[in-house]
Amino acid sequence: MKKLQRQFDSPLPGRLGLNPAVSILSRLYSAGVKSRQHIYDTFPALSHELCRPVISVGGIRAGGTGKTPVSQLVGQYLIDKGYGIAFLSRGYGRPIKKPVIVKPGETANWELTGDEPCMIHRNLPQSWLGIGADRVSNAKKIIDELPQKSVFILDDGFQHQKIKRDLDIVCLSEKTFCDRMIPAGFLREPVSSLSRADLLFIIGSSSAINNMNEIKKELERRFDSKKCMILLQEPLYWVEGKSGRTCENAPLKNPLAVCAIARPHRFIDMLKTFSIEPCDTLSFKDHHILKINDFTHRLQDVYSRGIVTTEKDYIRLQAVEFASAPEIWYLKIGLRFADESSRALFESEINKLTL
């Protein structure tokens, strides 16, 4: 088998990620993670059972592995099968931290729910949202109003073991074996923790398919009982936020590109597929709360050239202070299975829970 390349990423600047003191912190973090897992393995009663099937969609890497699109994929499939769905999420990055329940048909406020749950609810308005750190409590608030044919979906739930799950889906990037534990790297858990998962989804662009196939082979070698499949992220079309009109080609010439996601290079690469050459690119940390002050030095471009952004970022660009911006276009992204056998396997695993 072709040897996997190991060019490690790090959230730390320069060579700080290779500092021996940082490595010690990573080992301490890893020991804490393993200790916590041992407690749940030893005392399974610590995990609460809900009176509906539970599907967890999560990851072992902090940010940028496609968990939210997969949660939406699962939710859409269940809705198409006639099931009610309720997403349980912590609501990471929201400025207002109180627990909140959003019912089907209600308008979600991203400041209360967080940008990713808000985006999910906009795309799946039939869904419930239970937002807050205590997901068990939120599930109990929702459950009596759910139809009998319903499923809970834990968004970013792999580490949240206070709720028992019937299916564990873990999303992985094409750099699964090129990472280290926090803080030296981005891993929240070691790769060995994938032994708890049921389905392993490797998610990336079609340009990385060869590397993803190598990762799939390595995962199948290490975890021979796990079902592993590849999903491809693809740009679909552009949407103008205020009017809702759509466009399959480049909507603007030399726009200002704005993104606050974990992997901004993915969005920039997708702009190239549309032959879009931004006049400038403003990148911020993931979930950054965008303010008009962030654009002070490019304010003329906002009004004269318009903005292109991601769907998640557009959720935060709906604030009142951006109301006068003339055009803000966001890119709709789709997920597709690399082969039909993987799609069939995914649907079969979901169907087992809902028969």
Side-chain angles (χ1 to χ4, degrees):
M1 185 181 76
K2 179 182 175 183
K3 186 176 180 180
L4 292 169
Q5 295 182 351
R6 295 179 181 272
Q7 185 174 358
F8 293 106
D9 284 340
S10 175
L12 301 174
R15 297 181 61 82
L16 187 57
L18 301 176
N19 187 291
V22 175
S23 296
I24 292 172
L25 291 175
S26 290
R27 288 196 290 271
L28 290 172
Y29 179 87
S30 181
V33 168
K34 291 177 180 178
S35 176
R36 180 178 181 274
Q37 183 57 45
H38 177 71
I39 291 172
Y40 277 99
D41 289 341
T42 306
F43 304 102
L46 293 175
S47 297
H48 298 263
E49 285 192 21
L50 304 181
C51 299
R52 299 289 191 281
V54 176
I55 299 174
S56 168
V57 178
I60 59 173
R61 191 182 196 274
T65 54
K67 297 182 291 292
T68 299
V70 169
S71 292
Q72 189 169 301
L73 177 75
V74 172
Q76 184 65 68
Y77 180 75
L78 289 166
I79 288 171
D80 292 344
K81 296 281 288 184
Y83 280 79
I85 56 171
F87 291 96
L88 300 176
S89 175
R90 182 177 135 199
Y92 184 81
R94 61 197 180 121
I96 302 174
K97 302 299 184 183
K98 66 179 182 180
V100 62
I101 304 295
V102 181
K103 297 181 179 181
E106 290 184 347
T107 299
N109 180 339
W110 77 267
E111 293 179 316
L112 292 171
T113 66
D115 48 17
E116 290 168 342
C118 183
M119 183 178 73
I120 289 174
H121 191 69
R122 280 167 54 97
N123 290 318
L124 301 176
Q126 312 94 317
S127 63
W128 287 76
L129 295 181
I131 308 298
D134 191 343
R135 302 192 205 191
V136 175
S137 175
N138 283 333
K140 290 178 179 178
K141 293 175 184 176
I142 294 172
I143 199 163
D144 289 339
E145 298 190 59
L146 290 176
Q148 190 61 39
K149 286 179 57 175
S150 297
V151 177
F152 281 106
I153 300 174
L154 297 182
D155 181 39
D156 195 7
F158 193 53
Q159 287 77 39
H160 189 87
Q161 296 190 62
K162 291 183 179 180
I163 294 179
K164 289 185 179 179
R165 65 286 315 277
D166 300 280
L167 184 69
D168 244 321
I169 300 173
V170 175
C171 303
L172 305 166
S173 76
E174 68 273 17
K175 295 187 177 182
T176 295
F177 296 109
C178 301
D179 215 337
R180 294 164 293 177
M181 293 292 287
I182 293 171
F186 292 91
L187 290 181
R188 296 188 287 187
E189 291 192 63
V191 172
S192 60
S193 67
L194 296 177
S195 60
R196 304 199 317 266
D198 299 304
L199 300 180
L200 303 178
F201 285 3
I202 307 164
I203 302 171
S205 65
S206 57
S207 62
I209 188 67
N210 291 335
N211 190 38
M212 289 191 286
N213 277 318
E214 293 300 323
I215 291 171
K216 182 174 183 287
K217 292 176 185 177
E218 179 67 10
L219 288 169
E220 290 172 339
R221 185 187 69 81
R222 294 194 190 189
F223 308 99
D224 57 2
S225 64
K226 304 301 174 186
K227 301 175 178 67
C228 184
M229 55 202 73
I230 295 172
L231 287 87
L232 302 176
Q233 282 187 322
E234 296 179 326
L236 299 178
Y237 54 88
W238 292 90
V239 180
E240 203 287 308
K242 292 179 182 177
S243 66
R245 68 186 190 274
T246 61
C247 177
E248 293 185 0
N249 302 312
L252 299 170
K253 292 182 179 180
N254 306 119
L256 180 64
V258 178
C259 60
I261 56 177
R263 293 187 173 188
H265 67 273
R266 286 186 174 179
F267 177 62
I268 304 306
D269 289 343
M270 286 182 180
L271 293 183
K272 294 176 183 177
T273 68
F274 289 93
S275 300
I276 293 176
E277 296 183 9
C279 65
D280 196 4
T281 300
L282 301 183
S283 295
F284 305 91
K285 68 177 183 179
D286 197 13
H287 303 283
H288 174 71
I289 299 175
L290 295 162
K291 299 289 186 182
I292 200 68
N293 290 340
D294 295 324
F295 301 85
T296 301
H297 65 297
R298 305 299 312 208
L299 207 54
Q300 183 177 348
D301 294 324
V302 170
Y303 289 94
S304 63
R305 299 176 183 269
I307 292 175
V308 292
T309 189
T310 70
E311 185 175 10
K312 185 173 89 169
D313 291 315
Y314 177 71
I315 295 294
R316 282 174 274 114
L317 282 168
Q318 294 181 87
V320 173
E321 56 188 313
F322 296 104
S324 60
E327 287 189 88
I328 303 177
W329 291 81
Y330 63 85
L331 184 60
K332 290 287 288 187
I333 303 294
L335 280 180
R336 70 173 176 88
F337 289 91
D339 54 79
E340 283 304 311
S341 61
S342 293
R343 174 181 289 280
L345 178 58
F346 161 74
E347 293 178 356
S348 173
E349 292 299 309
I350 300 291
N351 291 342
K352 287 177 184 178
L353 305 182
T354 56
L355 294 177

